[in-house]
C-alpha cells in the first residue's frame, strides 16, 4: 500500500506540474495614478476578448481595487500567449481627499474614495509580491518619470526577478517624451504607445508575446 500511495502521489505531482505550465500567466499592470493603466487594460481586453476590464476616468484613483480579466489569448506571428490581465490601483506615497474635491466630488465621497485608494495601494503591493508572474509598467510620457514611487516599484519588480515591460503611454500628446522615460530606466526596454488612440499596439502585443509567452 505504501508503494501504491507513493506512486499515486508521484503521478499527481507530475500531472499538477504539467497543467500548471499551461495556466495563464498573471500579468499585473502597474504605475502611478492616471498613467493610463485601465485604458491599456481595456484596450488589450477589448482587442482580444471584446470585453472591458473596468471604467476609465480622468479623476485620479478611479481604480481602487485590483480588477482581473482572465484568459486573454494574444496571437502574434503564429504563436499565442494566454494571460490574466490584472489592472491594479495606481501606487502613490500619499492619497489626499482634496484631490477629489478638485473634480467636484462631495467631501464625504472624497474621503471615502481616498480611504479606498489607500487600501488599493496596499492591495497592489500584495499582488506584486505574491500573485503576479510579470509586470507591465505604464508611465505617462508627459510626466517626469524620476519619482520615488517609480524607482521603488521598479526596484521591487527587479528584486522579485519578474519580467517587466515599460510602456511610455500618451504619445499622442504634444509634450510626450519617450526618451525621458528610456533614460530613467535604461536597464529595461521602453515601448511607446497611446492606449487611448491605439497607436503602436502591434509592437505592444509583439512584446507581450515575447516577454510573457
Amino acid at each position: 500500500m505504501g508503494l501504491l500511495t507513493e506512486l499515486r502521489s508521484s503521478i499527481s505531482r507530475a500531472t499538477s506540474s504539467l497543467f500548471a505550465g499551461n495556466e495563464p500567466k498573471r500579468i499585473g499592470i502597474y504605475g502611478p495614478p492616471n498613467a493610463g493603466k485601465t485604458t491599456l487594460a481595456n484596450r488589450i481586453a477589448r482587442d482580444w476578448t471584446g470585453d472591458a476590464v473596468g471604467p476609465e476616468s480622468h479623476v485620479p484613483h478611479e481604480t481602487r481595487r485590483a480588477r482581473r480579466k482572465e484568459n486573454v489569448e494574444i496571437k502574434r506571428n503564429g504563436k499565442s500567449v494566454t494571460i490574466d490581465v490584472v489592472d491594479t490601483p495606481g501606487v502613490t506615497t500619499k492619497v489626499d481627499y482634496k484631490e477629489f474635491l478638485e473634480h467636484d466630488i462631495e467631501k464625504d465621497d472624497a474621503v471615502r474614495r481616498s480611504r479606498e485608494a489607500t487600501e488599493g495601494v496596499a492591495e497592489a503591493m500584495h499582488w506584486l509580491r505574491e500573485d503576479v508572474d510579470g509586470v507591465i509598467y505604464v508611465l505617462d510620457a508627459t510626466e517626469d518619470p524620476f519619482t520615488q514611487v517609480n524607482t521603488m516599484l521598479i526596484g521591487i519588480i527587479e528584486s522579485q526577478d519578474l519580467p517587466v515591460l515599460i510602456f511610455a503611454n500618451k504619445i499622442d500628446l504634444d509634450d510626450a517624451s519617450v526618451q525621458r522615460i528610456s533614460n530613467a530606466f535604461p536597464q529595461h526596454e521602453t515601448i511607446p504607445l497611446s492606449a487611448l488612440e491605439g497607436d503602436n499596439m502591434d509592437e505592444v502585443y509583439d512584446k507581450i508575446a515575447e516577454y510573457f509567452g
Side-chain angles (χ1 to χ4, degrees), residues 39 46 69 75 81 93 98 104 138 140 178 200:
T39 304
R46 287 193 181 109
K69 180 63 179 177
K75 298 181 179 180
V81 56
T93 55
K98 294 178 182 177
D104 298 324
V138 182
D140 183 342
V178 177
N200 204 39

Side-chain angles (χ1 to χ4, degrees), residues 27-38:
I27 306 302
I29 300 182
Y30 279 81
N34 277 16
K37 299 182 297 301
T38 300

Side-chain angles (χ1 to χ4, degrees), residues 43-163:
R43 170 73 61 177
I44 294 171
R46 287 193 181 109
D47 281 353
W48 298 100
T49 72
D51 298 323
V53 176
E56 303 168 25
S57 175
H58 66 283
V59 178
H61 308 290
E62 183 64 29
T63 302
R64 299 184 294 280
R65 305 296 298 182
R67 302 186 183 103
R68 182 172 174 176
K69 180 63 179 177
E70 297 181 334
N71 297 313
V72 178
E73 184 181 10
I74 298 174
K75 298 181 179 180
R76 305 300 296 175
N77 304 316
K79 298 181 180 180
S80 68
V81 56
T82 302
I83 63 175
D84 291 348
V85 177
V86 183
D87 180 28
T88 67
V91 177
T92 183
T93 55
K94 180 182 179 182
V95 181
D96 191 335
Y97 79 91
K98 294 178 182 177
E99 294 180 73
F100 299 102
L101 299 179
E102 297 172 0
H103 296 274
D104 298 324
I105 294 174
E106 295 295 329
K107 183 177 179 180
D108 288 347
D109 193 20
V111 171
R112 176 185 61 81
R113 284 172 175 246
S114 65
R115 182 173 60 251
E116 291 174 351
T118 300
E119 293 170 353
V121 171
E123 182 185 17
M125 297 305 296
H126 173 79
W127 272 90
L128 183 59
R129 290 190 170 96
E130 303 291 341
D131 292 319
V132 296
D133 303 304
V135 173
I136 290 172
Y137 200 84
V138 182
L139 289 167
D140 183 342
T142 69
E143 299 288 340
D144 182 4
F146 288 103
T147 67
Q148 178 184 0
V149 169
N150 290 334
T151 302
M152 175 193 70
L153 281 178
I154 294 296
I156 292 173
I157 293 165
E158 291 173 344
S159 71
Q160 297 286 95
D161 290 325
L162 294 171

